[in-house]
């Protein structure tokens, strides 16, 4: 079981697989006012940077589930490196339908809401693992400005304009589901540049090391096209943020 190999190639050098910088990730942990010992569940945990640094900096414990064998291995190595292996566990597997055995104080899905079939389904899934009064974290793109055409949306690697909302609508959508938005941390362009541009050097180095690979042609085409595509579309139109939600009542 694994994710499409292209992602394991282009994001092999990423510690954070989304437009957050290490500073933004630390800010998110700080603004949540996490108590030491808080249990955190992370669906689509990638290379484990959130759980590992929060375990080190805020004393949380946690479990991450990710379908990439490479990222899961990297997460375990990172835990070892930060000396938090006794606080965090990383499971290589499909997070669809995953419910924690013990309820958690924070249930998160950052940049992987297809795991629950979209934002709504992912919130429902995370809620099954959450203790009363716990916090759900959703990391999701939104339109900085609405694309004028479907072509522009597809240039942002969205399927269509309808895939994402503008920020006020995204925030309102959480309210309609019965949740208070109690915090949010938004990525900035520097973070987007780190996420996207870091892929380019990784692709270039990979191509030099793997010229005969069956994916070499695809990676070459992507490296050729990506910098202009990103600057034209994603960088102009797409935002990304993490929203902290608590059930109303
Ligand atoms: N939350 C992490 C990773 C975001 S990238 C971070 O912010 O760094 C999306 C992640 O979802 C990738 O690591 C990918 O391997 C993982 N993924 C994709 N489909 C999945 C599934 N069905 N179950 C678990 N993880 C999945």
């Amino acid at each position: 079981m694994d994710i499409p190999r292209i992602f394991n190639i282009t994001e092999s050098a990423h510690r954070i697989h989304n437009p957050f910088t290490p500073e933004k990730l630390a800010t998110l942990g700080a603004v949540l006012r996490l108590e030491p010992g808080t249990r955190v569940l992370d669906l689509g945990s990638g290379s484990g940077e959130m759980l590992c640094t929060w375990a080190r900096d805020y004393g949380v414990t946690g479990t991450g589930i990710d379908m990439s064998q490479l990222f899961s291995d990297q997460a375990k190595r990172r835990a070892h490196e930060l000396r938090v292996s006794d606080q965090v566990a990383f499971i290589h597997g499909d997070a669809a339908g995953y419910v924690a055995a013990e309820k958690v104080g924070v249930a998160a899905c950052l940049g992987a809401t297809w795991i629950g079939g979209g934002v709504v389904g992912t919130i429902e899934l995370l809620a099954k693992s959450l203790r009363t009064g716990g916090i759900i974290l959703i990391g999701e793109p939104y339109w900085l400005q609405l694309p004028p055409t479907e072509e522009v949306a597809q240039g942002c690697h969205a399927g269509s304009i309808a895939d994402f909302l503008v920020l006020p609508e995204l925030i309102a959508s959480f309210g309609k589901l019965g949740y208070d938005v109690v915090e949010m941390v938004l990525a900035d362009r520097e973070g987007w540049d780190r996420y996207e541009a870091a892929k380019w050097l990784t692709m270039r180095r990979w191509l030099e090391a793997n010229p005969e690979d069956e994916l070499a042609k695809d990676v070459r085409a992507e490296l050729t096209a990506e910098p202009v595509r990103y600057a034209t579309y994603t960088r102009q139109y797409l935002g990304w943020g993490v929203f902290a939600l608590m059930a109303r009542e």
Side-chain angles (χ1 to χ4, degrees):
M1 178 200 303
D2 213 323
I3 59 171
R5 189 167 160 244
I6 186 74
F7 300 113
N8 285 326
I9 294 170
T10 58
E11 298 192 24
S12 62
H14 284 56
R15 252 182 202 151
I16 301 173
H17 305 265
N18 71 54
F20 260 16
T21 57
E23 293 74 26
K24 292 277 183 186
L25 209 49
T27 298
L28 179 63
V31 300
L32 295 176
R33 307 170 205 171
L34 300 163
E35 301 281 342
T38 300
R39 270 195 301 275
V40 181
L41 173 68
D42 190 8
L43 303 187
S45 44
S47 299
E49 193 66 4
M50 181 177 84
L51 283 179
C52 290
T53 55
W54 287 8
R56 178 194 62 190
D57 299 339
Y58 308 118
V60 306
T61 65
T63 304
I65 298 101
D66 199 279
M67 203 146 96
S68 162
Q69 180 73 61
L70 174 71
F71 300 166
S72 302
D73 291 346
Q74 289 179 166
K76 284 175 199 161
R77 278 204 293 281
R78 187 67 173 147
H80 188 73
E81 190 177 64
L82 298 187
R83 299 174 198 280
V84 294
S85 296
D86 53 342
Q87 287 162 263
V88 295
F90 292 100
I91 300 167
H92 172 233
D94 188 345
Y98 185 91
V99 178
E102 246 183 319
K103 299 255 189 230
V104 301
V106 176
C109 181
L110 272 53
T113 50
W114 57 84
I115 284 172
V119 172
V120 175
T122 298
I123 290 174
E124 282 168 10
L125 174 59
L126 292 171
K128 291 181 187 167
S129 297
L130 199 66
R131 69 161 171 77
T132 308
I135 292 179
I136 288 178
L137 298 179
I138 293 287
E140 185 71 3
Y142 59 88
W143 295 121
L144 291 173
Q145 45 170 332
L146 214 54
T149 62
E150 289 294 341
E151 203 185 340
V152 170
Q154 280 154 24
C156 298
H157 284 167
S160 77
I161 298 174
D163 282 7
F164 306 123
L165 301 170
V166 292
L167 183 60
E169 283 176 5
L170 180 58
I171 291 174
S173 75
F174 297 126
K176 285 177 201 146
L177 293 172
Y179 285 89
D180 286 321
V181 178
V182 297
E183 255 295 356
M184 68 175 189
V185 179
L186 304 181
D188 56 21
R189 282 209 172 129
E190 172 60 21
W192 270 107
D193 292 351
R194 291 300 86 247
Y195 175 53
E196 294 291 340
K199 297 176 194 173
W200 309 338
L201 182 57
T202 302
M203 286 193 275
R204 176 63 202 241
R205 294 251 160 95
W206 183 89
L207 278 170
E208 282 165 12
N210 302 278
E212 306 302 332
D213 192 282
E214 60 179 13
L215 279 185
K217 257 198 190 133
D218 296 354
V219 173
R220 168 29 74 194
E222 197 164 325
L223 174 57
T224 303
E226 270 298 294
V228 172
R229 183 207 64 80
Y230 167 64
T232 308
Y233 297 110
T234 306
R235 197 170 196 274
Q236 303 304 325
Y237 288 95
L238 216 53
W240 195 87
V242 178
F243 303 87
L245 314 175
M246 292 178 72
R248 282 186 184 144
E249 263 143 16

